[in-house]
Amino acid sequence: MRDVAVVGVSMVKFGRYNDKDVVRLASEAAVEAMRDAGIDIKDVQVLVSGNLYQANGMVGQRIVKEIGATGMPVINVANACATGSTAFREAYLAVASGAYDIALAVGSEQMGKMGLLGGGGGGDPAYNPEGIMGTNLMPGVFAMTGVEHMRKYGTTIEQFAKVAVKNHKHSTLNPYAQYQIETPLEMVLNARMIAWPNTLYMCCPTGDGAAAAVIMSAEKARQYTSKPIWVAASVLTSDPWTERNPTMWDVNTLTKMAAKQAYEQAGIGPEDLSMVELHDCFATAELVHYENLMLCGEGEAGEFIDKGMPYHPNMGGKIPVNVSGGLLSKGHPLGATGVANIVEIVWHLREQAGDRQVPGAKVGLAHVIGLGSACTIHILKR
Amino acid sequence: MAQETATQEQVQEKKVKPLVPFLRIPDGWPDEPAYVFASRCKACGALFLGERYACGRCGSVEQFDEVRVSDEGEIYVFTVIHQSFPGIETPYVAAIIDFPEGVSVRANVYGLDPNHPDRSWFGKKVRMRVEKIRVDREGNDVVAPKYYVVE
Ligand SMILES: [Zn+2]
């Protein structure tokens, strides 16, 4: 595999866009990323588009019909919440393999008001198991991930809630966050319960959005920039057989596998990370990933948040996690999410992150989980 | 048999259908008990709810023994759902229930106060009752395994 760099990035702030369709949002992100890289569409040799709700809608081809239909190969990717990061990885592989020198990854989503409950399929509603055969709704699934941690290690509701307090506090520094509201602990704990122990502020908002990244071979990258951001690791795993999966979805095992592979690929350890953007779709999820990504030891995640370790360094943290505000504040338009957290890390590594800049950031890790399951980890370094 | 004219629907016998494919309902139900069943891989011992074509753990194909799963199990983990699909009554206690055979079922648990979730619910014993829950579009009875806390 060849060395590969990220040369251009952009993100359309997540939110509700009733006046724009998903192709328009994706196109804006793509054009801005190309502008950032100093290229135009004629330089792009392959485009990978990540979109989930319109997985059969040829979103990638619709984007190039909007911004320049050169006849290049276009690949459409769907991988649950890891859709965007899988698109990034496919674009990375296209260049790393030597097949292409310049690739464009675009993640986009328009979720409207359906949110994570999504559109129920056809079929006879008499056979809907939800509410009799427990729950398969995302808030419940990720709540149980946290409750398992509670059972094993005595983790408290307050410790989970502190994750939300942190990420919402971080969001106040990020103009790209969908919500920039500080939520003190009492406010999080007293908010409307969604799926115990996750209250409203412990669940990510959904919405519309897009993000894009231009990826180049080392040789090309040096022609376009003096500050290439290197892809030090790109890993994708699916969930292996474990005892209760899929009766109980297991988001831990495949993340641990991915983390181990990513650290090996990058030749670094968790102690070398300047920052982490991880998949905090729910506060309970973020807490278990502190351990899965080896930011702390097994069973120590509660203490890790109690001590404020994952806060921004300017707020006393040691290993900043989700300084963007995370999905909890930034929003989670499924197909866009995985590209956007790579964009966030690139901004920090280029010292372009404004008020939320992690001082002297050198290495960042981006983690995404799509239930079903897919896990991506990318390690970027300057 | 019947002398009077019967409509198609009356002739077509109303059936009893399981909500989930791993619930086996014998013809004699409810006199004869319905039960949850699982498939055990002959090669590696992995256990899966319902029928299997191949083993998701070791890849062996069409080599399974059917296992009848106990009616009694215990709560492994749980949550309480306060926001669900329209038309589904909330709150409800949703759990992962472990069974002694080595398999788990995702199901509601009845008999716990959903407004006071508590660590003491871990390991709580539950027992299955198979009940009619709905009627489908074709008029068949839909039955489901429902898990009640054992007092
Ligand atoms: Zn097997």
Side-chain angles (χ1 to χ4, degrees), chain A residues 144-145 148 242 244-250, chain B residues 76-77 96 106:
Chain A
M144 286 194 280
T145 298
E148 183 181 44
T242 50
R244 296 183 182 86
N245 185 3
T247 295
M248 178 177 175
W249 298 105
D250 174 10
Chain B
Y76 175 56
V77 294
I96 303 296
R106 178 169 62 215

Side-chain angles (χ1 to χ4, degrees), chain A residues 117-118 120 122-137 139-141 143-145 147-155 192-197 200 240-241 243-249, chain B residues 17-20 22 46-49 56-57 74-85 88 92 94-96 98 104-108 110 117 119 122-123 133-138 140 142 144-146:
Chain A
L117 292 182
D124 190 336
Y127 291 95
N128 180 4
E130 180 65 32
I132 294 190
M133 303 311 298
T135 192
N136 209 21
L137 299 171
V141 165
M144 286 194 280
T145 298
V147 174
E148 183 181 44
H149 199 273
M150 204 181 254
R151 174 170 184 155
K152 279 186 179 163
Y153 304 117
T155 319
R192 183 161 62 86
M193 188 61 75
I194 304 293
W196 188 87
L200 182 65
W241 183 90
E243 210 183 1
R244 296 183 182 86
N245 185 3
T247 295
M248 178 177 175
W249 298 105
Chain B
K17 292 192 167 180
L19 177 66
V20 286
F22 52 83
L47 197 58
F48 303 89
L49 282 179
R57 185 192 195 186
E74 59 178 59
I75 296 176
Y76 175 56
V77 294
F78 58 87
T79 179
V80 182
I81 302 297
H82 289 259
Q83 184 179 317
S84 189
F85 291 119
I88 295 177
Y92 51 89
I96 303 296
D98 286 349
S104 307
V105 171
R106 178 169 62 215
N108 281 25
Y110 301 93
R119 293 186 56 89
F122 293 133
I133 53 158
R134 299 176 187 129
V135 176
D136 73 9
R137 278 175 187 156
E138 288 159 8
N140 304 306
V142 181
K146 294 177 78 172

Side-chain angles (χ1 to χ4, degrees), chain A residues 20-31:
Chain A
K20 290 179 181 177
D21 69 5
V22 74
V23 172
R24 173 61 188 268
L25 296 173
S27 297
E28 286 181 16
V31 166

Side-chain angles (χ1 to χ4, degrees), chain A residues 86-131:
Chain A
T86 304
F88 178 90
R89 178 176 150 82
E90 288 303 312
Y92 158 82
L93 289 174
V95 176
S97 67
Y100 304 97
D101 289 323
I102 302 183
L104 175 58
V106 188
S108 67
E109 206 73 57
Q110 192 154 41
M111 299 174 73
K113 291 201 174 89
M114 286 196 294
L116 282 180
L117 292 182
D124 190 336
Y127 291 95
N128 180 4
E130 180 65 32

Side-chain angles (χ1 to χ4, degrees), chain A residues 42-372:
Chain A
K42 289 185 285 298
D43 299 312
V44 174
Q45 296 167 343
V46 56
L47 182 142
V48 187
S49 165
N51 185 287
L52 194 60
Y53 276 21
Q54 295 190 34
N56 60 357
M58 300 297 264
V59 171
Q61 282 81 350
R62 285 155 63 199
I63 294 168
V64 296
K65 282 182 172 64
E66 184 73 23
I67 65 173
T70 61
M72 73 176 89
V74 173
I75 304 161
N76 292 285
V77 166
N79 221 3
C81 300
T83 291
S85 52
T86 304
F88 178 90
R89 178 176 150 82
E90 288 303 312
Y92 158 82
L93 289 174
V95 176
S97 67
Y100 304 97
D101 289 323
I102 302 183
L104 175 58
V106 188
S108 67
E109 206 73 57
Q110 192 154 41
M111 299 174 73
K113 291 201 174 89
M114 286 196 294
L116 282 180
L117 292 182
D124 190 336
Y127 291 95
N128 180 4
E130 180 65 32
I132 294 190
M133 303 311 298
T135 192
N136 209 21
L137 299 171
M138 292 304 107
V141 165
F142 283 95
M144 286 194 280
T145 298
V147 174
E148 183 181 44
H149 199 273
M150 204 181 254
R151 174 170 184 155
K152 279 186 179 163
Y153 304 117
T155 319
T156 64
I157 297 171
E158 286 74 14
Q159 286 170 329
F160 291 119
K162 283 178 184 174
V163 171
V165 173
K166 169 184 70 75
N167 289 355
H168 291 297
K169 190 173 172 68
H170 284 162
S171 77
T172 60
L173 298 176
N174 184 7
Y176 282 90
Q178 193 169 345
Y179 294 98
Q180 289 186 271
I181 307 162
E182 208 173 329
T183 59
L185 187 62
E186 285 307 303
M187 185 174 166
V188 173
L189 291 171
N190 293 326
R192 183 161 62 86
M193 188 61 75
I194 304 293
W196 188 87
N198 285 327
T199 66
L200 182 65
Y201 296 117
M202 296 161 77
C203 303
C204 69
T206 58
D208 314 331
V214 174
I215 293 158
M216 295 189 189
S217 63
E219 195 188 344
K220 276 279 178 205
R222 288 196 184 93
Q223 292 172 26
Y224 285 93
T225 181
S226 57
K227 282 187 183 173
I229 301 302
W230 303 102
V231 182
S234 174
V235 174
L236 171 64
T237 56
S238 62
D239 44 341
W241 183 90
T242 50
E243 210 183 1
R244 296 183 182 86
N245 185 3
T247 295
M248 178 177 175
W249 298 105
D250 174 10
V251 299
N252 299 314
T253 310
L254 83 169
T255 300
K256 286 178 174 154
M257 284 169 53
K260 189 166 176 291
Q261 290 175 35
Y263 291 132
E264 274 171 20
Q265 240 180 61
I268 62 161
E271 65 284 357
D272 299 313
L273 297 172
S274 314
M275 63 181 296
V276 173
E277 289 286 304
L278 65 74
H279 202 74
D280 61 324
C281 47
F282 299 91
T284 44
E286 172 161 328
L287 192 127
V288 302
H289 292 318
Y290 296 152
E291 293 170 19
N292 294 333
L293 298 176
M294 297 185 261
L295 307 182
C296 66
E298 199 68 22
E300 293 171 6
E303 194 188 343
F304 188 73
I305 185 75
D306 278 343
K307 286 185 174 165
M309 300 292 276
Y311 269 93
H312 193 287
N314 298 348
M315 300 173 185
K318 294 284 183 286
I319 309 175
V321 176
N322 289 331
V323 293
S324 65
L327 277 50
L328 288 179
S329 316
K330 197 166 71 173
H332 183 21
L334 314 178
T337 297
V339 181
N341 72 358
I342 288 167
V343 171
E344 176 72 12
I345 287 184
V346 169
W347 280 334
H348 284 271
L349 298 182
R350 288 173 171 180
E351 305 272 346
Q352 292 174 336
D355 291 344
R356 68 189 184 286
Q357 177 67 45
V358 172
K362 288 188 177 61
V363 187
L365 181 150
H367 158 263
V368 183
I369 281 262
L371 204 72

Side-chain angles (χ1 to χ4, degrees), chain B residues 41 44 55 58:
Chain B
C41 175
C44 78
C55 176
C58 77

